[in-house]
Structure formats: C-alpha cells, structure tokens
Amino acid sequence: NYIPAMGEFLKATMCPVARVEGSNTFVPLYNMGCINELLGEKEAAISYYKRCGDYAPAVLRLSEM
C-alpha cells in the first residue's frame, strides 16, 4: 500500500497548521523519500530527502546514498 500512503503523506504537506513540529513538513517528506527509495526511485527519494532540510534521518539517508 505504498502508493496510497504516499497520497496521505502528500495531504499532510498541504495542511497549513500542525500541532507537532514537522508533521506537515519534513516528516511526511522523509516518509515519501523512504517509499521512493524502497521502490527503486533513487532520484525521487533524493529529492524528497533534500526537501527535509536538516532533519537528521534525511541527512543520514542522503549521506548513505
């Protein structure tokens, strides 16, 4: 169910306000990067990870790619 999950993460990035920091920015972007990486879409994964800014898990994934 990766594709439906990506749709839900995309919806989260469109929420203007979030109670928890990152839940509408770097967290769903990171998760979309992970899904793309699992699906073999390396360039898309890199793009999503880069959009996470200095979010440590994304920085780590970029350094390992």
Side-chain angles (χ1 to χ4, degrees), residues 2 4 7-9 13 15 24 28-30 33-35 37 56-57 60 62:
Y2 293 127
E8 295 302 313
F9 290 130
T13 65
C15 293
N24 64 342
L29 292 170
Y30 174 76
C34 290
I35 291 171
E37 192 173 354
L60 177 63
L62 282 169

Side-chain angles (χ1 to χ4, degrees), residues 15-34:
C15 293
V17 178
R19 290 185 185 181
V20 178
E21 181 182 359
S23 63
N24 64 342
T25 55
F26 57 84
V27 173
L29 292 170
Y30 174 76
N31 288 325
M32 289 191 287
C34 290

Side-chain angles (χ1 to χ4, degrees), residues 34-62:
C34 290
I35 291 171
N36 274 281
E37 192 173 354
L38 287 170
L39 296 175
E41 299 293 333
K42 184 178 177 180
E43 294 304 316
I46 290 170
S47 175
Y48 282 115
Y49 291 147
K50 285 182 177 180
R51 292 173 56 192
C52 294
D54 61 355
Y55 183 52
V59 172
L60 177 63
R61 289 305 311 137
L62 282 169

